[in-house]
Amino acid sequence: MKRGLLVVVCVFLGAWRMELSAQSAQELLRSAKNSERDNPAKAVEIYQKIVANHPTDAPACAEAYLGMGLCLTEQGRRDEAKTAVEKATTLCPDNADFRKVADVVLFRLREGLRQVHLVEVDKEGRVRFITDMRNKNSTGKELKVFKFHTDMGTLIEVKDALGNKVPFDMEETERGADYRIQLPNPIPPGGEVFYQTVWEMDSLLACKEGSLRYHFGPHCPGPRALYEHVLTLPAASDIRVVSPPPALVRDTDAAKTIVWQQEIEAGKSMDEVRAEFVIPNVDASRLPVPDYFEVIHKQSNVTTVDSAGKAICCVEETRKNNVTVPLSSIHFSSSPQVKLTRILDERDNELQFTATPGANPAENTHYTVSLRNAIPPGEERSFRFFFEWDGLVSREGDLWVFQYRHSPNRDTLYSHTLRLPGGAEIVEVVPKADDTAVVDGMKTIVWTSTVTGAGHFSCRVKYRLPAAK
Protein backbone atom coordinates (compact mmCIF):
# COMPACT_ATOMS: atom_id res chain seq x y z
CA MET A 1 0.00 0.00 0.00
CA LYS A 2 2.76 2.38 0.98
CA ARG A 3 4.73 1.38 -2.11
CA GLY A 4 1.72 2.09 -4.34
CA LEU A 5 1.14 5.43 -2.66
CA LEU A 6 4.79 6.30 -3.14
CA VAL A 7 4.55 5.51 -6.86
CA VAL A 8 1.45 7.72 -7.19
CA VAL A 9 3.20 10.55 -5.36
CA CYS A 10 6.27 10.24 -7.57
CA VAL A 11 4.17 10.25 -10.73
CA PHE A 12 2.29 13.31 -9.47
CA LEU A 13 5.52 15.12 -8.56
CA GLY A 14 6.98 14.25 -11.98
CA ALA A 15 3.93 15.63 -13.76
CA TRP A 16 3.99 18.68 -11.52
CA ARG A 17 7.67 19.28 -12.33
CA MET A 18 6.92 18.93 -16.07
CA GLU A 19 4.05 21.43 -15.81
CA LEU A 20 6.20 23.81 -13.79
CA SER A 21 8.98 23.48 -16.38
CA ALA A 22 6.54 24.28 -19.21
CA GLN A 23 5.19 27.25 -17.33
CA SER A 24 8.70 28.52 -16.73
CA ALA A 25 9.45 28.28 -20.46
CA GLN A 26 6.32 30.30 -21.24
CA GLU A 27 7.22 32.88 -18.62
CA LEU A 28 10.68 33.22 -20.10
CA LEU A 29 9.23 33.55 -23.60
CA ARG A 30 6.93 36.29 -22.39
CA SER A 31 9.82 38.14 -20.74
CA ALA A 32 11.98 37.83 -23.83
CA LYS A 33 9.25 39.13 -26.17
CA ASN A 34 8.72 42.14 -23.93
CA SER A 35 12.46 42.93 -24.17
CA GLU A 36 12.75 42.60 -27.96
CA ARG A 37 11.92 46.21 -28.72
CA ASP A 38 13.92 48.12 -26.09
CA ASN A 39 16.69 45.65 -25.21
CA PRO A 40 17.24 43.06 -27.96
CA ALA A 41 20.54 41.91 -26.42
CA LYS A 42 18.74 40.98 -23.19
CA ALA A 43 16.02 39.22 -25.21
CA VAL A 44 18.65 37.08 -26.95
CA GLU A 45 20.10 36.06 -23.57
CA ILE A 46 16.66 34.97 -22.34
CA TYR A 47 15.96 33.03 -25.55
CA GLN A 48 19.31 31.25 -25.17
CA LYS A 49 18.36 30.33 -21.59
CA ILE A 50 15.10 28.79 -22.84
CA VAL A 51 16.96 26.61 -25.34
CA ALA A 52 19.49 25.55 -22.71
CA ASN A 53 17.01 24.82 -19.89
CA HIS A 54 14.09 23.35 -21.90
CA PRO A 55 15.70 21.33 -24.72
CA THR A 56 12.82 18.82 -24.87
CA ASP A 57 10.11 21.49 -25.30
CA ALA A 58 10.22 21.76 -29.11
CA PRO A 59 7.55 24.50 -29.52
CA ALA A 60 9.16 26.68 -26.83
CA CYS A 61 12.63 26.19 -28.33
CA ALA A 62 11.35 26.92 -31.85
CA GLU A 63 9.70 30.13 -30.67
CA ALA A 64 12.90 31.07 -28.83
CA TYR A 65 15.00 30.53 -31.94
CA LEU A 66 12.58 32.68 -33.96
CA GLY A 67 12.76 35.46 -31.38
CA MET A 68 16.54 35.17 -31.51
CA GLY A 69 16.40 35.51 -35.28
CA LEU A 70 14.37 38.73 -35.05
CA CYS A 71 16.73 40.30 -32.50
CA LEU A 72 19.99 39.13 -34.11
CA THR A 73 18.83 40.57 -37.45
CA GLU A 74 18.33 43.98 -35.85
CA GLN A 75 21.85 43.73 -34.36
CA GLY A 76 23.35 42.99 -37.77
CA ARG A 77 24.34 39.42 -36.80
CA ARG A 78 23.05 37.98 -40.05
CA ASP A 79 24.66 34.53 -40.06
CA GLU A 80 23.57 33.82 -36.48
CA ALA A 81 20.04 35.02 -37.29
CA LYS A 82 19.79 32.71 -40.30
CA THR A 83 21.04 29.75 -38.26
CA ALA A 84 18.49 30.45 -35.51
CA VAL A 85 15.61 30.52 -38.01
CA GLU A 86 16.76 27.28 -39.63
CA LYS A 87 16.78 25.57 -36.21
CA ALA A 88 13.27 26.85 -35.48
CA THR A 89 11.79 25.56 -38.73
CA THR A 90 13.53 22.19 -38.23
CA LEU A 91 11.95 21.81 -34.77
CA CYS A 92 8.41 22.71 -35.86
CA PRO A 93 8.23 22.52 -39.68
CA ASP A 94 4.41 22.43 -39.84
CA ASN A 95 3.62 25.37 -37.54
CA ALA A 96 2.12 28.11 -39.78
CA ASP A 97 2.55 30.88 -37.18
CA PHE A 98 6.24 30.05 -36.75
CA ARG A 99 6.62 30.00 -40.55
CA LYS A 100 5.33 33.60 -40.74
CA VAL A 101 7.95 34.82 -38.25
CA ALA A 102 10.65 32.89 -40.10
CA ASP A 103 9.63 34.44 -43.44
CA VAL A 104 9.80 37.96 -41.95
CA VAL A 105 13.34 37.33 -40.69
CA LEU A 106 14.46 35.79 -44.00
CA PHE A 107 13.03 38.79 -45.90
CA ARG A 108 15.13 41.07 -43.70
CA LEU A 109 18.21 38.97 -44.43
CA ARG A 110 17.86 39.18 -48.22
CA GLU A 111 20.53 41.07 -50.14
CA GLY A 112 19.50 44.34 -51.76
CA LEU A 113 18.45 47.90 -51.04
CA ARG A 114 16.10 47.99 -48.04
CA GLN A 115 13.68 50.75 -47.09
CA VAL A 116 11.82 50.64 -43.79
CA HIS A 117 9.06 52.86 -42.41
CA LEU A 118 8.33 52.47 -38.68
CA VAL A 119 5.10 54.01 -37.38
CA GLU A 120 4.48 54.08 -33.62
CA VAL A 121 1.07 54.97 -32.15
CA ASP A 122 1.09 55.54 -28.38
CA LYS A 123 -1.73 55.01 -25.89
CA GLU A 124 -2.88 58.63 -26.35
CA GLY A 125 -3.23 58.23 -30.12
CA ARG A 126 -0.11 60.26 -30.95
CA VAL A 127 1.96 59.12 -33.93
CA ARG A 128 5.72 58.96 -34.47
CA PHE A 129 7.03 58.19 -37.96
CA ILE A 130 10.57 56.82 -38.19
CA THR A 131 12.26 56.59 -41.56
CA ASP A 132 15.65 56.55 -43.23
CA MET A 133 16.89 59.43 -45.33
CA ARG A 134 19.68 59.17 -47.89
CA ASN A 135 21.28 62.03 -49.74
CA LYS A 136 23.81 61.87 -52.57
CA ASN A 137 26.13 64.82 -53.16
CA SER A 138 25.85 65.69 -56.85
CA THR A 139 26.99 69.33 -56.52
CA GLY A 140 30.63 68.84 -57.54
CA LYS A 141 31.90 70.23 -54.21
CA GLU A 142 31.91 69.20 -50.56
CA LEU A 143 28.47 69.22 -48.94
CA LYS A 144 28.40 70.45 -45.33
CA VAL A 145 24.66 70.98 -44.84
CA PHE A 146 21.72 68.79 -45.91
CA LYS A 147 18.66 70.97 -46.70
CA PHE A 148 15.07 69.96 -47.38
CA HIS A 149 11.52 71.30 -47.13
CA THR A 150 8.39 69.50 -45.95
CA ASP A 151 4.94 70.15 -44.48
CA MET A 152 4.16 66.53 -43.58
CA GLY A 153 5.05 66.68 -39.89
CA THR A 154 7.55 67.94 -37.31
CA LEU A 155 11.09 66.59 -37.22
CA ILE A 156 12.06 65.81 -33.61
CA GLU A 157 15.26 63.75 -33.89
CA VAL A 158 18.02 62.84 -36.35
CA LYS A 159 20.59 60.05 -35.91
CA ASP A 160 23.51 59.00 -38.09
CA ALA A 161 24.39 55.46 -39.19
CA LEU A 162 26.07 54.79 -35.81
CA GLY A 163 23.03 55.94 -33.81
CA ASN A 164 24.58 59.27 -32.77
CA LYS A 165 22.28 62.28 -32.57
CA VAL A 166 22.88 64.87 -35.28
CA PRO A 167 22.04 68.60 -34.77
CA PHE A 168 19.55 70.29 -37.06
CA ASP A 169 17.65 73.55 -37.22
CA MET A 170 14.24 74.45 -38.58
CA GLU A 171 12.64 77.59 -39.96
CA GLU A 172 8.85 77.70 -40.17
CA THR A 173 7.28 79.00 -43.38
CA GLU A 174 3.70 79.77 -44.29
CA ARG A 175 3.46 76.23 -45.63
CA GLY A 176 5.57 73.71 -43.78
CA ALA A 177 9.17 74.13 -42.64
CA ASP A 178 12.71 74.35 -44.02
CA TYR A 179 15.23 72.02 -42.31
CA ARG A 180 19.03 72.12 -42.23
CA ILE A 181 20.93 69.08 -40.95
CA GLN A 182 24.49 69.92 -39.93
CA LEU A 183 26.86 67.29 -41.30
CA PRO A 184 29.62 66.29 -38.82
CA ASN A 185 31.80 65.25 -41.78
CA PRO A 186 31.50 66.93 -45.19
CA ILE A 187 30.28 64.66 -48.00
CA PRO A 188 32.69 64.59 -50.96
CA PRO A 189 31.28 64.90 -54.49
CA GLY A 190 29.47 61.69 -55.39
CA GLY A 191 29.35 60.54 -51.77
CA GLU A 192 26.23 59.58 -49.80
CA VAL A 193 25.01 60.31 -46.31
CA PHE A 194 22.49 58.24 -44.30
CA TYR A 195 20.20 59.37 -41.46
CA GLN A 196 17.40 57.95 -39.38
CA THR A 197 14.76 60.62 -38.79
CA VAL A 198 11.94 60.68 -36.24
CA TRP A 199 8.81 62.75 -36.92
CA GLU A 200 5.67 63.66 -35.07
CA MET A 201 2.79 63.20 -37.53
CA ASP A 202 -0.83 64.34 -37.22
CA SER A 203 -2.11 63.25 -40.62
CA LEU A 204 -1.65 59.47 -40.60
CA LEU A 205 -4.70 58.70 -38.45
CA ALA A 206 -8.33 59.51 -39.08
CA CYS A 207 -11.30 58.95 -36.80
CA LYS A 208 -14.56 57.41 -37.93
CA GLU A 209 -17.42 55.98 -35.89
CA GLY A 210 -15.38 55.70 -32.71
CA SER A 211 -12.37 53.90 -34.20
CA LEU A 212 -9.03 55.02 -35.57
CA ARG A 213 -8.12 54.38 -39.19
CA TYR A 214 -4.54 54.30 -40.37
CA HIS A 215 -3.65 54.72 -44.04
CA PHE A 216 -0.31 54.97 -45.82
CA GLY A 217 0.69 54.79 -49.47
CA PRO A 218 1.02 54.14 -52.25
CA HIS A 219 4.74 54.80 -51.83
CA CYS A 220 7.41 54.64 -54.54
CA PRO A 221 10.96 54.04 -53.20
CA GLY A 222 12.45 54.84 -56.63
CA PRO A 223 15.03 52.10 -57.26
CA ARG A 224 14.23 48.42 -56.77
CA ALA A 225 13.83 47.90 -53.01
CA LEU A 226 12.91 45.42 -50.29
CA TYR A 227 10.28 47.51 -48.57
CA GLU A 228 8.99 46.98 -45.04
CA HIS A 229 6.23 48.91 -43.27
CA VAL A 230 5.81 48.37 -39.52
CA LEU A 231 2.86 49.72 -37.50
CA THR A 232 3.19 49.45 -33.70
CA LEU A 233 0.10 49.91 -31.50
CA PRO A 234 -0.46 49.87 -27.73
CA ALA A 235 -0.66 46.31 -26.38
CA ALA A 236 -4.36 46.50 -25.45
CA SER A 237 -5.47 47.80 -28.86
CA ASP A 238 -8.37 46.02 -30.55
CA ILE A 239 -7.42 45.54 -34.21
CA ARG A 240 -10.54 45.42 -36.40
CA VAL A 241 -9.25 45.56 -39.99
CA VAL A 242 -5.85 45.09 -41.63
CA SER A 243 -5.31 45.45 -45.38
CA PRO A 244 -3.61 44.00 -47.35
CA PRO A 245 -2.93 40.80 -45.38
CA PRO A 246 0.25 41.50 -43.39
CA ALA A 247 3.34 39.32 -43.27
CA LEU A 248 3.06 39.17 -39.48
CA VAL A 249 1.01 40.37 -36.51
CA ARG A 250 3.00 39.96 -33.30
CA ASP A 251 1.53 40.43 -29.80
CA THR A 252 3.52 41.13 -26.65
CA ASP A 253 2.71 42.74 -23.32
CA ALA A 254 4.50 45.84 -24.60
CA ALA A 255 2.84 46.31 -28.01
CA LYS A 256 0.98 44.90 -30.98
CA THR A 257 3.02 45.03 -34.17
CA ILE A 258 1.77 44.70 -37.76
CA VAL A 259 4.41 44.05 -40.43
CA TRP A 260 3.95 44.40 -44.20
CA GLN A 261 6.77 43.37 -46.54
CA GLN A 262 6.97 43.76 -50.30
CA GLU A 263 9.63 43.65 -52.98
CA ILE A 264 9.07 46.68 -55.21
CA GLU A 265 10.47 46.98 -58.70
CA ALA A 266 12.20 50.18 -59.82
CA GLY A 267 9.73 52.99 -60.44
CA LYS A 268 6.79 51.02 -59.02
CA SER A 269 4.74 51.79 -55.91
CA MET A 270 4.02 49.71 -52.84
CA ASP A 271 0.50 48.63 -52.02
CA GLU A 272 -1.55 50.95 -49.81
CA VAL A 273 -1.65 49.72 -46.21
CA ARG A 274 -4.62 50.27 -43.92
CA ALA A 275 -5.58 49.34 -40.37
CA GLU A 276 -8.62 50.08 -38.25
CA PHE A 277 -8.35 49.73 -34.49
CA VAL A 278 -9.54 50.98 -31.09
CA ILE A 279 -7.22 52.10 -28.29
CA PRO A 280 -8.79 51.62 -24.83
CA ASN A 281 -9.70 54.80 -22.96
CA VAL A 282 -9.09 56.98 -26.03
CA ASP A 283 -12.04 58.92 -27.42
CA ALA A 284 -11.19 58.92 -31.12
CA SER A 285 -13.65 61.74 -31.85
CA ARG A 286 -11.65 64.12 -29.64
CA LEU A 287 -8.30 63.46 -31.25
CA PRO A 288 -6.85 66.26 -33.40
CA VAL A 289 -7.12 64.20 -36.59
CA PRO A 290 -9.40 64.73 -39.58
CA ASP A 291 -12.26 62.45 -40.55
CA TYR A 292 -11.66 60.59 -43.82
CA PHE A 293 -14.93 61.85 -45.20
CA GLU A 294 -14.58 65.44 -44.03
CA VAL A 295 -12.58 66.87 -46.92
CA ILE A 296 -10.46 69.83 -45.85
CA HIS A 297 -8.61 70.37 -49.11
CA LYS A 298 -9.50 70.06 -52.79
CA GLN A 299 -7.20 69.82 -55.78
CA SER A 300 -7.66 68.89 -59.44
CA ASN A 301 -5.16 68.36 -62.22
CA VAL A 302 -5.94 68.40 -65.93
CA THR A 303 -3.01 67.14 -68.00
CA THR A 304 -3.11 67.56 -71.77
CA VAL A 305 -0.66 65.51 -73.87
CA ASP A 306 -0.15 66.29 -77.55
CA SER A 307 0.85 63.89 -80.36
CA ALA A 308 4.55 64.55 -79.66
CA GLY A 309 4.23 63.59 -75.98
CA LYS A 310 4.48 67.13 -74.61
CA ALA A 311 2.49 67.55 -71.37
CA ILE A 312 0.78 70.73 -70.13
CA CYS A 313 -0.82 70.63 -66.66
CA CYS A 314 -3.48 72.90 -65.19
CA VAL A 315 -3.75 72.44 -61.41
CA GLU A 316 -6.74 73.97 -59.64
CA GLU A 317 -6.32 74.19 -55.90
CA THR A 318 -8.16 75.69 -52.93
CA ARG A 319 -5.92 77.07 -50.19
CA LYS A 320 -7.06 78.00 -46.70
CA ASN A 321 -5.30 80.51 -44.44
CA ASN A 322 -4.68 78.56 -41.22
CA VAL A 323 -2.52 81.20 -39.57
CA THR A 324 -3.67 84.14 -37.43
CA VAL A 325 -2.52 86.94 -39.78
CA PRO A 326 -3.59 87.77 -43.37
CA LEU A 327 -1.77 85.69 -45.97
CA SER A 328 -0.19 87.90 -48.63
CA SER A 329 1.78 85.23 -50.50
CA ILE A 330 1.83 81.48 -51.02
CA HIS A 331 4.82 79.18 -51.24
CA PHE A 332 5.43 75.76 -52.79
CA SER A 333 8.15 73.77 -54.51
CA SER A 334 8.29 71.45 -57.52
CA SER A 335 10.75 69.06 -59.09
CA PRO A 336 13.16 70.47 -61.70
CA GLN A 337 11.18 68.66 -64.44
CA VAL A 338 8.21 70.96 -63.75
CA LYS A 339 8.17 74.57 -64.91
CA LEU A 340 5.50 76.98 -63.67
CA THR A 341 4.39 79.28 -66.51
CA ARG A 342 1.28 81.07 -65.23
CA ILE A 343 -0.98 81.54 -62.14
CA LEU A 344 -4.55 82.86 -62.04
CA ASP A 345 -6.61 83.68 -58.95
CA GLU A 346 -10.35 82.95 -58.65
CA ARG A 347 -11.14 86.20 -60.53
CA ASP A 348 -8.77 85.19 -63.37
CA ASN A 349 -6.24 87.83 -62.36
CA GLU A 350 -2.73 86.82 -63.38
CA LEU A 351 -0.40 86.75 -60.36
CA GLN A 352 3.31 87.52 -60.20
CA PHE A 353 5.71 84.90 -58.90
CA THR A 354 9.40 84.29 -58.36
CA ALA A 355 11.19 80.99 -58.98
CA THR A 356 14.31 80.00 -57.03
CA PRO A 357 16.11 76.98 -58.50
CA GLY A 358 17.81 74.51 -56.20
CA ALA A 359 21.55 74.58 -55.55
CA ASN A 360 22.04 71.81 -58.12
CA PRO A 361 19.98 70.52 -61.08
CA ALA A 362 18.50 67.66 -59.01
CA GLU A 363 16.99 69.89 -56.30
CA ASN A 364 13.46 71.30 -56.27
CA THR A 365 12.58 74.77 -57.49
CA HIS A 366 10.91 76.96 -54.84
CA TYR A 367 8.15 79.38 -55.85
CA THR A 368 6.75 82.44 -54.08
CA VAL A 369 3.46 83.83 -55.42
CA SER A 370 2.37 87.37 -54.53
CA LEU A 371 -1.40 87.73 -53.98
CA ARG A 372 -3.36 90.75 -55.15
CA ASN A 373 -5.62 90.51 -52.12
CA ALA A 374 -4.46 88.95 -48.86
CA ILE A 375 -6.43 85.95 -47.54
CA PRO A 376 -7.88 86.73 -44.08
CA PRO A 377 -7.37 84.14 -41.29
CA GLY A 378 -9.75 81.19 -41.65
CA GLU A 379 -10.80 82.03 -45.24
CA GLU A 380 -9.83 80.25 -48.44
CA ARG A 381 -9.15 81.12 -52.08
CA SER A 382 -8.93 79.10 -55.30
CA PHE A 383 -6.03 79.29 -57.77
CA ARG A 384 -5.10 77.80 -61.14
CA PHE A 385 -1.46 76.89 -61.77
CA PHE A 386 -0.20 76.12 -65.30
CA PHE A 387 2.89 73.94 -65.72
CA GLU A 388 5.03 72.51 -68.48
CA TRP A 389 6.07 69.03 -67.34
CA ASP A 390 8.95 67.05 -68.82
CA GLY A 391 9.25 63.29 -68.40
CA LEU A 392 5.58 62.39 -67.93
CA VAL A 393 5.47 60.56 -71.26
CA SER A 394 7.97 57.97 -72.50
CA ARG A 395 8.12 55.39 -75.31
CA GLU A 396 8.06 51.57 -75.13
CA GLY A 397 8.32 50.43 -78.73
CA ASP A 398 5.14 51.54 -80.49
CA LEU A 399 3.49 52.41 -77.15
CA TRP A 400 3.38 55.77 -75.44
CA VAL A 401 3.48 55.56 -71.62
CA PHE A 402 2.07 58.29 -69.36
CA GLN A 403 3.14 57.86 -65.72
CA TYR A 404 2.21 60.30 -62.98
CA ARG A 405 2.59 60.46 -59.19
CA HIS A 406 1.54 63.26 -56.85
CA SER A 407 1.65 63.84 -53.07
CA PRO A 408 -0.78 66.56 -51.90
CA ASN A 409 0.82 66.42 -48.40
CA ARG A 410 -2.55 66.86 -46.70
CA ASP A 411 -5.94 65.15 -46.68
CA THR A 412 -7.23 65.99 -50.15
CA LEU A 413 -10.15 65.23 -52.42
CA TYR A 414 -8.04 64.82 -55.55
CA SER A 415 -9.20 64.66 -59.18
CA HIS A 416 -6.89 63.88 -62.08
CA THR A 417 -7.93 64.22 -65.74
CA LEU A 418 -5.73 63.03 -68.60
CA ARG A 419 -6.48 64.33 -72.12
CA LEU A 420 -4.88 62.44 -75.04
CA PRO A 421 -5.12 62.96 -78.81
CA GLY A 422 -8.49 61.82 -80.15
CA GLY A 423 -7.05 58.97 -82.22
CA ALA A 424 -5.26 57.41 -79.24
CA GLU A 425 -5.88 53.68 -78.70
CA ILE A 426 -5.90 52.99 -74.95
CA VAL A 427 -3.97 49.80 -74.10
CA GLU A 428 -3.68 49.95 -70.29
CA VAL A 429 -5.06 52.14 -67.48
CA VAL A 430 -3.82 51.65 -63.87
CA PRO A 431 -5.62 52.12 -61.54
CA LYS A 432 -9.07 51.67 -63.03
CA ALA A 433 -10.48 55.05 -64.09
CA ASP A 434 -13.77 56.50 -62.87
CA ASP A 435 -14.66 57.67 -66.38
CA THR A 436 -13.34 57.45 -69.95
CA ALA A 437 -14.85 59.48 -72.79
CA VAL A 438 -14.11 61.66 -75.82
CA VAL A 439 -14.43 65.34 -74.89
CA ASP A 440 -13.75 68.15 -77.36
CA GLY A 441 -12.16 65.62 -79.71
CA MET A 442 -9.69 64.28 -77.10
CA LYS A 443 -9.61 60.91 -75.31
CA THR A 444 -10.28 61.83 -71.67
CA ILE A 445 -9.59 59.66 -68.61
CA VAL A 446 -10.68 60.74 -65.12
CA TRP A 447 -9.75 59.49 -61.64
CA THR A 448 -11.13 60.82 -58.34
CA SER A 449 -9.60 59.81 -55.03
CA THR A 450 -9.43 60.84 -51.37
CA VAL A 451 -5.72 61.02 -50.55
CA THR A 452 -4.54 61.24 -46.94
CA GLY A 453 -1.69 63.49 -45.85
CA ALA A 454 0.95 60.76 -46.05
CA GLY A 455 -0.53 59.20 -49.18
CA HIS A 456 -0.03 59.57 -52.90
CA PHE A 457 -2.01 59.40 -56.11
CA SER A 458 -0.34 57.57 -58.98
CA CYS A 459 -1.50 56.38 -62.39
CA ARG A 460 -0.13 54.81 -65.55
CA VAL A 461 -1.64 54.82 -69.03
CA LYS A 462 -0.27 53.06 -72.10
CA TYR A 463 -1.61 54.00 -75.54
CA ARG A 464 -0.88 53.95 -79.27
CA LEU A 465 -1.20 56.75 -81.74
CA PRO A 466 -2.12 56.21 -85.38
CA ALA A 467 0.88 56.17 -87.71
CA ALA A 468 1.61 59.55 -89.24
CA LYS A 469 0.64 59.72 -92.89
Side-chain angles (χ1 to χ4, degrees):
M1 180 71 180
K2 289 182 178 179
R3 180 182 177 88
L5 180 61
L6 181 60
V7 171
V8 171
V9 170
C10 289
V11 170
F12 173 77
L13 288 175
W16 179 79
R17 279 196 296 269
M18 289 176 64
E19 182 179 355
L20 179 61
S21 176
Q23 288 176 341
S24 298
Q26 293 306 313
E27 289 172 357
L28 288 171
L29 281 171
R30 184 174 179 178
S31 176
K33 285 183 179 180
N34 291 336
S35 300
E36 284 179 356
R37 183 178 175 187
D38 298 325
N39 195 340
K42 178 183 176 182
V44 170
E45 291 179 2
I46 300 173
Y47 285 131
Q48 290 172 336
K49 187 180 297 185
I50 294 170
V51 173
N53 296 343
H54 305 274
T56 60
D57 189 341
C61 288
E63 194 166 355
Y65 278 125
L66 289 172
M68 259 190 268
L70 286 169
C71 295
L72 292 169
T73 302
E74 294 304 312
Q75 294 176 302
R77 297 159 65 179
R78 298 173 58 86
D79 292 340
E80 294 173 78
K82 185 177 180 180
T83 299
V85 169
E86 290 173 348
K87 289 181 178 180
T89 53
T90 299
L91 285 170
C92 294
D94 299 324
N95 189 308
D97 291 335
F98 289 175
R99 183 72 255 174
K100 289 180 180 179
V101 179
D103 287 344
V104 165
V105 176
L106 294 175
F107 184 92
R108 293 174 179 176
L109 293 175
R110 288 172 59 181
E111 296 292 338
L113 175 66
R114 289 188 67 219
Q115 187 175 105
V116 182
H117 285 150
L118 304 175
V119 183
E120 300 177 350
V121 182
D122 68 14
K123 61 183 180 180
E124 304 297 330
R126 294 170 299 204
V127 182
R128 293 204 321 164
F129 186 87
I130 303 171
T131 186
D132 299 340
M133 294 185 68
R134 297 177 184 272
N135 184 50
K136 186 172 184 178
N137 181 7
S138 55
T139 64
K141 57 183 179 181
E142 283 193 339
L143 191 65
K144 299 180 179 180
V145 178
F146 179 27
K147 302 178 184 178
F148 63 97
H149 174 88
T150 183
D151 59 359
M152 292 181 61
T154 302
L155 182 62
I156 59 176
E157 186 177 81
V158 179
K159 291 183 179 180
D160 63 17
L162 299 177
N164 302 314
K165 290 188 177 180
V166 178
F168 66 91
D169 54 65
M170 180 266 288
E171 180 180 349
E172 291 187 358
T173 66
E174 291 177 330
R175 187 185 180 191
D178 292 321
Y179 289 95
R180 292 164 47 94
I181 297 177
Q182 307 296 326
L183 304 182
N185 300 303
I187 310 172
E192 289 189 339
V193 63
F194 163 86
Y195 292 109
Q196 184 186 77
T197 57
V198 182
W199 302 78
E200 286 183 348
M201 306 289 283
D202 60 2
S203 59
L204 293 179
L205 291 184
C207 57
K208 185 65 179 178
E209 299 173 353
S211 65
L212 291 172
R213 296 183 179 184
Y214 173 78
H215 171 266
F216 183 87
H219 168 68
C220 180
R224 182 174 180 271
L226 300 170
Y227 179 77
E228 184 168 334
H229 195 89
V230 182
L231 174 63
T232 301
L233 306 175
S237 299
D238 177 16
I239 301 175
R240 307 283 180 81
V241 177
V242 179
S243 176
L248 180 67
V249 177
R250 190 167 175 82
D251 288 347
T252 69
D253 291 344
K256 288 189 176 182
T257 304
I258 306 171
V259 180
W260 292 272
Q261 293 177 325
Q262 182 181 353
E263 181 177 349
I264 305 175
E265 295 298 328
K268 304 297 184 181
S269 296
M270 60 157 278
D271 296 332
E272 294 179 295
V273 298
R274 298 176 183 268
E276 183 176 334
F277 53 91
V278 174
I279 301 175
N281 303 316
V282 171
D283 182 357
S285 65
R286 296 183 181 180
L287 291 176
V289 293
D291 189 297
Y292 269 127
F293 305 101
E294 182 182 321
V295 177
I296 58 174
H297 185 69
K298 296 180 181 179
Q299 187 179 106
S300 67
N301 184 321
V302 178
T303 302
T304 302
V305 179
D306 65 16
S307 58
K310 181 180 179 181
I312 303 294
C313 299
C314 174
V315 177
E316 187 168 343
E317 182 176 5
T318 300
R319 294 192 173 223
K320 184 175 182 179
N321 181 5
N322 293 313
V323 298
T324 58
V325 297
L327 200 62
S328 59
S329 61
I330 55 178
H331 306 264
F332 64 95
S333 60
S334 67
S335 68
Q337 291 79 28
V338 182
K339 180 183 177 182
L340 179 65
T341 60
R342 192 182 182 201
I343 302 177
L344 302 178
D345 64 16
E346 57 189 2
R347 297 182 178 179
D348 287 337
N349 295 314
E350 189 157 349
L351 303 179
Q352 300 298 313
F353 64 90
T354 58
T356 306
N360 63 72
E363 291 188 4
N364 286 351
T365 300
H366 297 275
Y367 293 97
T368 299
V369 182
S370 299
L371 306 182
R372 287 198 174 194
N373 300 298
I375 308 174
E379 294 190 14
E380 59 184 29
R381 296 287 187 273
S382 295
F383 302 92
R384 281 184 292 160
F385 304 81
F386 296 85
F387 299 94
E388 294 178 354
W389 201 315
D390 292 331
L392 283 182
V393 181
S394 60
R395 295 293 298 270
E396 292 183 1
D398 67 334
L399 292 180
W400 296 79
V401 182
F402 171 85
Q403 192 146 333
Y404 176 84
R405 180 175 178 271
H406 177 58
S407 306
N409 295 330
R410 65 184 72 183
D411 285 5
T412 300
L413 178 61
Y414 182 76
S415 171
H416 191 92
T417 301
L418 173 62
R419 305 172 74 235
L420 301 174
E425 175 194 350
I426 307 298
V427 175
E428 178 184 77
V429 177
V430 179
K432 182 179 179 181
D434 296 303
D435 189 28
T436 301
V438 176
V439 180
D440 296 331
M442 301 195 76
K443 284 283 182 70
T444 303
I445 305 170
V446 180
W447 298 267
T448 301
S449 173
T450 299
V451 184
T452 61
H456 310 81
F457 168 81
S458 61
C459 64
R460 182 177 70 253
V461 175
K462 294 184 179 182
Y463 61 96
R464 290 189 182 89
L465 293 178
K469 296 181 180 180

